[in-house]
């Protein structure tokens, strides 16, 4: 960030989007949205959601289609009125403010560029409405194009750009307004898979350079994991978990989160004994000592989350299994195993260097107890 600031100053550029953006926190408290749906049936799209997003943080709202992500984003932007609850940007309660007063800018899935305006005019549009003078507008538009590596495209029409370039222009158009908060609603969904991956890191780099508070909506868990400081996992209008990518993957708060993020074995287990630092559970007919923050008692039926890559398969080990499926995937061997009647998915990386087991073979598992994570049954 410093190097870039210096670069802009060196050139004698008096304007720096980086210096002018004043990132703010965002908080929602007990936010609820009930839509009057068709035939008089109400839809509770958002159900008592409370969240805090720090200044400069990249926070992602992640969850399946219809879980209320867009509705939360639109309420923060002011396009939708909450049925109940409060929204704060910085220390200010903004419920009664119109969208243009809220100091947020939104980037949409559809880019929403004006087709009849060229790139310069598209980016300058909001600044003109703000009635800034021509010289300032020119400096700001050039500054943001420079910052994003898009110089030279000013005269083109949106349809003369690739999807990825159009989306970067849409981001430039949002950033040039120097908002305190950037809102993204599935901005990469229209791009092909390879470009999507590239754009993830482009957006993240620009966001980090500027240090702007960002709230990003997606149903793509890889996008959420790779871009975010923290992720909010939502399901049916409620928040299931808020955590870093590491926390939601390795310490999912619920069965839903474990299942939604990556691939998970969700195994039946029973609490056998409680000790001071760990509890003993019976799972796949074996005993394991597992640590947990949950308040459990002997006899409780629980679920154990075990990621497929966290298991070692070999010719010796503690737990005997029978191989039901064995598929070579290049980077890994994909196994489906049967352990005391339960199916277990196991991924073994770099299989060319290891013993590969075939369907019907007997093999053994080694499981590090630190990789076992308990959720309530
Ligand atoms: N204007 C509306 N009127 C009635 N119901 C609505 C309206 N907008 C959204 N809904 C409903 O509210 C729920 C949440 O919708 P929302 O668009 O917030 O979901 P989402 O998580 O963004 O989903 P997606 O990933 O498909 O974009 C859904 O059941 C949806 O059908
Ligand atoms: Mg949506």
């Amino acid at each position: 960030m410093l190097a870039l600031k210096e670069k802009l100053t060196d050139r004698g550029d008096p304007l720096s989007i980086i210096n002018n953006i004043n990132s703010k926190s965002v908080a929602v408290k007990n936010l609820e949205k009930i839509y009057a749906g068709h035939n008089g049936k109400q839809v509770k799209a958002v159900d008592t959601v409370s969240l805090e997003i720090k200044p400069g943080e990249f926070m992602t709202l992640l969850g399946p289609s219809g879980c209320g992500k867009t509705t939360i984003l639109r309420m923060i932007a002011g396009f939708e009125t909450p049925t109940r609850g409060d929204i704060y940007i910085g220390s200010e309660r903004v419920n009664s403010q119109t969208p243009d007063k809220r100091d947020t800018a939104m980037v949409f899935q559809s880019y929403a560029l004006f087709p009849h305006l060229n790139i310069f005019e598209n980016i300058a549009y909001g600044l003109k409405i703000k009635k800034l003078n021509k010289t300032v507008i020119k400096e700001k538009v050039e500054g943001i194009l420079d910052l994003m590596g898009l110089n030279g495209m000013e005269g083109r029409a949106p349809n003369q750009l690739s999807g990825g370039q159009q989306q970067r222009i849409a981001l430039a158009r949002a950033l040039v307004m120097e908002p305190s908060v950037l809102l993204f609603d599935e901005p990469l969904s229209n791009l092909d898979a390879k470009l999507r991956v590239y754009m993830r890191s482009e957006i993240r780099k620009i966001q980090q350079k500027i240090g702007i508070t960002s709230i990003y909506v997606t149903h793509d868990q890889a996008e959420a994991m790779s871009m975010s400081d923290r992720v909010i996992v939502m399901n049916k209008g409620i928040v299931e978990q808020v955590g870093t990518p590491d926390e939601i993957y390795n310490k999912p708060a619920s069965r839903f989160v474990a299942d939604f993020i990556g691939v998970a074995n969700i195994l039946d287990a029973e609490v056998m004994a409680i000790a001071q630092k760990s509890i003993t559970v019976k799972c796949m007919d074996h005993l394991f000592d597992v640590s947990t923050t949950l308040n459990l008692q002997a006899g409780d039926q629980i679920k154990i989350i075990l990621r497929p890559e966290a298991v070692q398969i070999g010719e010796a080990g503690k737990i005997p299994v029978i191989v039901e499926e064995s598929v070579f995937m290049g980077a890994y061997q994909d196994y489906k195993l049967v352990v005391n009647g339960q199916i277990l998915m196991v991924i073994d990386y770099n299989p060319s260097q290891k013993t590969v087991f075939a369907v019907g073979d007997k093999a053994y598992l080694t499981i590090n107890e630190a990789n076992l994570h308990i959720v309530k049954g």
Side-chain angles (χ1 to χ4, degrees):
M1 185 162 143
L2 258 183
L4 203 98
K5 272 187 189 170
E6 279 158 15
K7 190 180 137 212
L8 290 172
T9 326
D10 284 351
R11 284 186 345 166
D13 191 339
L15 280 155
S16 162
I17 300 284
I18 296 173
N19 289 330
N20 291 340
I21 282 181
N22 172 23
S23 279
K24 289 186 181 161
S25 60
V26 175
V28 304
K29 296 200 174 131
N30 300 318
L31 199 62
E32 186 178 286
K33 179 68 186 180
I34 299 173
Y35 288 111
H38 296 298
N39 52 42
K41 234 181 127 192
Q42 293 189 328
V43 182
K44 197 181 250 188
V46 175
D47 188 358
T48 328
V49 166
S50 296
L51 297 168
E52 282 185 38
I53 298 139
K54 299 176 203 129
E57 190 171 29
F58 195 112
M59 182 71 111
T60 297
L61 283 162
L62 173 69
S65 184
C67 72
K69 307 179 293 294
T70 295
T71 303
I72 291 183
L73 205 68
R74 289 175 58 83
M75 287 193 283
I76 293 169
F79 301 136
E80 214 65 76
T81 312
T83 308
R84 200 166 63 86
D86 302 307
I87 301 170
Y88 295 86
I89 295 180
S91 55
E92 202 175 355
R93 185 178 181 274
V94 297
N95 284 53
S96 53
Q97 288 179 3
T98 51
D100 57 308
K101 296 279 182 302
R102 290 198 187 186
D103 210 7
T104 64
M106 177 102 86
V107 180
F108 299 92
Q109 175 178 347
S110 58
Y111 323 136
L113 298 176
F114 303 115
H116 57 290
L117 299 182
N118 70 24
I119 296 312
F120 183 95
E121 292 160 343
N122 260 285
I123 298 175
Y125 186 82
L127 300 174
K128 278 189 187 157
I129 289 181
K130 265 190 166 175
K131 297 206 164 40
L132 298 189
N133 83 44
K134 268 195 177 155
T135 322
V136 175
I137 291 180
K138 188 160 183 291
E139 278 173 350
K140 282 189 189 273
V141 174
E142 280 172 2
I144 193 75
L145 286 169
D146 200 20
L147 176 70
M148 299 188 62
L150 290 166
N151 324 59
M153 298 198 175
E154 293 88 330
R156 292 206 216 169
N159 66 8
Q160 292 172 319
L161 299 180
S162 71
Q165 287 166 336
Q166 288 188 51
Q167 195 50 287
R168 272 195 287 168
I169 299 296
L171 177 55
R173 190 180 55 178
L175 281 173
V176 84
M177 301 306 289
E178 295 163 4
S180 298
V181 180
L182 254 187
L183 306 172
F184 296 88
D185 195 357
E186 311 242 10
L188 306 182
S189 304
N190 284 355
L191 306 178
D192 69 51
K194 220 170 180 175
L195 192 54
R196 225 162 38 220
V197 172
Y198 173 72
M199 286 296 291
R200 278 181 206 161
S201 61
E202 284 297 289
I203 291 179
R204 179 61 164 150
K205 267 189 245 164
I206 292 163
Q207 185 269 339
Q208 283 180 320
K209 245 183 219 170
I210 302 175
I212 186 166
T213 312
S214 300
I215 308 178
Y216 189 99
V217 162
T218 184
H219 61 263
D220 180 336
Q221 42 137 332
E223 227 167 88
M225 296 289 283
S226 62
M227 298 176 81
S228 318
D229 292 313
R230 286 191 300 158
V231 179
I232 299 158
V233 185
M234 289 192 62
N235 180 27
K236 296 182 183 159
I238 65 154
V239 172
E240 292 266 344
Q241 187 171 6
V242 183
T244 62
D246 184 330
E247 285 163 352
I248 59 165
Y249 188 77
N250 290 312
K251 301 270 182 269
S254 65
R255 190 181 167 157
F256 174 85
V257 175
D259 210 19
F260 192 73
I261 311 291
V263 177
N265 290 293
I266 302 173
L267 305 167
D268 295 323
E270 184 182 342
V271 177
M272 305 306 285
I274 310 278
Q276 217 168 18
K277 287 212 170 121
S278 68
I279 64 168
T280 305
V281 299
K282 192 173 182 184
C283 180
M284 300 180 289
D285 223 21
H286 286 264
L287 295 179
F288 300 95
D289 287 330
V290 184
S291 60
T292 182
T293 52
L294 294 176
N295 192 6
L296 296 167
Q297 289 173 356
D300 283 352
Q301 299 298 314
I302 53 165
K303 298 284 179 197
I304 298 258
I305 308 299
L306 177 59
R307 298 292 183 185
E309 72 279 11
V311 179
Q312 278 81 53
I313 183 168
E315 282 155 303
K318 187 176 161 194
I319 304 165
V321 296
I322 300 293
V323 177
E324 180 151 305
E325 262 181 52
S326 174
V327 180
F328 176 64
M329 299 296 290
Y332 59 92
Q333 193 75 18
D334 198 355
Y335 290 110
K336 223 176 233 156
L337 310 169
V338 183
V339 196
N340 293 310
Q342 291 206 61
I343 293 282
L344 193 73
M345 295 173 284
V346 170
I347 283 175
D348 197 21
Y349 282 98
N350 203 11
S352 312
Q353 304 302 317
K354 296 176 181 164
T355 308
V356 171
F357 297 92
V359 174
D361 281 356
K362 190 172 181 186
Y364 291 88
L365 301 183
T366 306
I367 296 174
N368 179 346
E369 288 167 334
N371 290 325
L372 298 174
H373 175 71
I374 298 175
V375 293
K376 287 211 165 158

